[in-house]
Amino acid sequence: MLIRPESPQDHKAIRDLTRDAFAPMSFSDGSEPDIIDQLRKAGDLTLSLVAEQDEIIGHVAFSPAKIRKAKGDWYGLGPISVRADMQRQGIGTKLVQTGLDMLRKKGAAGCVLTGNPDVYRPMGFTNEHALTYSGLNPKYILFIALNGTAPKGEINFAPALEEDHP
Ligand SMILES: CC(C)(COP(=O)(O)OP(=O)(O)OC[C@H]1O[C@@H](n2cnc3c(N)ncnc32)[C@H](O)[C@@H]1OP(=O)(O)O)[C@@H](O)C(=O)NCCC(=O)NCCS
């Protein structure tokens, strides 16, 4: 399996993969493919990585995030998708680790996300923090420091992601 940055020919495959992966998720309103397109259009798609094995079987997006009381450059992770029949084989972890390595090389302070702690804690994220996001239960807010100290305060994701969480 190859992990590589997206190319323009991948946009449709990324949309289809994301739509299908999120379709069974009760928390999803089906907006994730549009979010990726909006991040790209706004110049906020800092990293868009695909996992390829004959075809595209996984994708992850990273975009800039602002945190009120944090030093350095922080990034938000998501959306992330792995094809349903390929989940729980470590592909999501490989996508995330590759993205975090690339962010670390750019000098990023760290990465934040909202999601299922059972998925992201094994990848090295923690939900023990002083972060807030739009009244969300803090256990669903996770971060990993790459080159800095633990951040504090309210998170503002890139506008395309904020629209998903009014
Ligand atoms: C979330 C997702 C990207 C994870 O990709 P993946 O390739 O299955 O992840 P991995 O195999 O690397 O697993 C990472 C960890 O998450 C856990 N995990 C994966 N899916 C899980 C699930 N549905 N429920 C609970 N834990 C889960 C794994 O057990 C693993 O932990 P472990 O190392 O202790 O076993 C994938 O399940 C997916 O596409 N889901 C649908 C879309 C979605 O929900 N995206 C995330 C929104 S927050």
Side-chain angles (χ1 to χ4, degrees):
M1 184 189 58
L2 174 70
I3 308 272
R4 61 165 175 80
E6 70 165 34
S7 67
Q9 298 92 297
D10 300 325
H11 294 180
K12 183 175 184 308
I14 292 169
R15 271 193 75 84
D16 292 350
L17 166 82
T18 303
R19 181 197 61 218
D20 293 349
F22 277 90
M25 299 293 136
S26 57
F27 59 82
S28 168
D29 61 2
S31 62
E32 292 81 7
D34 290 342
I35 288 173
I36 297 168
D37 288 346
Q38 286 163 18
L39 286 170
R40 192 184 290 115
K41 203 170 159 196
D44 283 337
L45 203 44
T46 308
L47 281 180
S48 177
L49 301 178
V50 295
E52 190 174 46
Q53 190 172 280
D54 300 324
E55 60 184 81
I56 288 174
I57 54 169
H59 174 260
V60 64
F62 294 86
S63 54
K66 294 193 179 72
I67 307 172
R68 267 175 62 86
K69 295 182 192 164
K71 291 194 181 126
D73 296 331
W74 286 81
Y75 293 87
L77 185 158
I80 178 169
S81 306
V82 171
R83 207 173 78 188
D85 61 332
M86 307 289 279
Q87 290 174 6
R88 306 197 86 147
Q89 297 174 32
I91 296 167
T93 300
K94 194 135 193 244
L95 279 163
V96 171
Q97 296 306 348
T98 304
L100 294 178
D101 285 347
M102 292 169 83
L103 291 176
R104 195 181 282 110
K105 286 190 186 126
K106 287 164 74 76
C111 181
V112 289
L113 62 85
T114 61
N116 179 352
D118 293 339
V119 172
Y120 299 103
R121 287 182 65 170
M123 298 184 191
F125 287 79
T126 176
N127 57 359
E128 290 168 22
H129 55 68
L131 292 165
T132 58
Y133 178 62
S134 194
L136 184 67
N137 182 331
K139 80 175 184 189
Y140 298 113
I141 304 171
L142 293 101
F143 83 96
I144 187 167
L146 296 173
N147 182 23
T149 51
K152 280 187 203 164
E154 178 76 6
I155 304 170
N156 285 288
F157 290 101
L161 287 161
E162 289 289 339
E163 280 158 26
D164 192 36
H165 302 102

